[in-house]
């Protein structure tokens, strides 16, 4: 990272890069985890990448990890990153419901399977891709791409607090 860039400034850019990379593969993808490493450190370890990476324009480089199997919460709970990893990001597809449906869902007495079915079958649901990115210093940022339809254009929403439970789980993977 260059001295003029703070992690809070860099993280939104990295989160967008991860979302754009995943978006290039289309929809209906499994969750994808990325390690975020200092580009300068990566180039020290792998100088053959100098033609592909620029530490000044991209101080952090996302590195795709192996696929996550099983329950996402359990998978994240079992991850511990080595000190060379500055942060991590997770891209996953989700269903977004309108507020009234969220209220109905939270006040209902549905088990997990019934809640998933309710969300999947709701007429106003929107498919989306969430990217949550975190750094060891506690910085967090999220990018949400709402899938477009013939009637509704695609939308991108960015905010650090879009997925607090997910960013908390990702931060936990970075703690010693």
């Amino acid at each position: 990272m260059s001295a003029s860039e703070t992690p809070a400034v860099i993280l939104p850019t990295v989160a967008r890069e991860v979302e754009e990379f995943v978006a290039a593969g289309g929809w209906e993808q499994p969750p994808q985890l990325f390690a975020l490493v200092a580009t300068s450190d990566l180039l020290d370890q792998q100088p053959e990448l100098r033609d592909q990476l620029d530490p000044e324009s991209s101080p952090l480089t996302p590195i795709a990890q192996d696929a996550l199997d099983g329950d996402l919460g359990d998978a994240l709970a079992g991850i511990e990153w080595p000190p060379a990893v500055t942060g991590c990001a997770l891209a996953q597809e989700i269903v977004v419901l309108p507020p009234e449906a969220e209220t109905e869902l939270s006040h209902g007495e549905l088990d997990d399977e019934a809640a998933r079915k309710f969300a999947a079958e709701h007429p106003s649901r929107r498919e989306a891709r969430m990217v949550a990115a975190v750094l060891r210093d506690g910085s967090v940022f999220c990018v949400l791409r709402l899938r477009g339809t013939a009637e509704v254009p695609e939308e991108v929403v960015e905010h650090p607090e879009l997925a607090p439970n997910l960013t908390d789980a990702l931060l936990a993977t970075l703690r010693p």
Side-chain angles (χ1 to χ4, degrees), residues 34-94:
F34 297 81
L36 304 179
V37 299
T39 303
S40 57
D41 293 347
L42 181 60
L43 291 174
D44 288 346
Q45 297 293 317
Q46 298 183 26
E48 67 276 10
L49 297 175
R50 282 200 196 285
D51 293 340
Q52 300 170 39
L53 301 173
D54 177 11
E56 289 301 313
S57 64
S58 298
L60 291 175
T61 298
I63 301 173
Q65 303 299 297
D66 291 336
L68 296 172
D69 294 325
D71 180 76
L72 184 59
D74 292 343
L76 290 176
I79 294 173
E80 293 180 29
W81 296 104
V85 173
T86 303
C88 61
L90 178 80
Q92 74 173 57
E93 293 183 13
I94 62 173

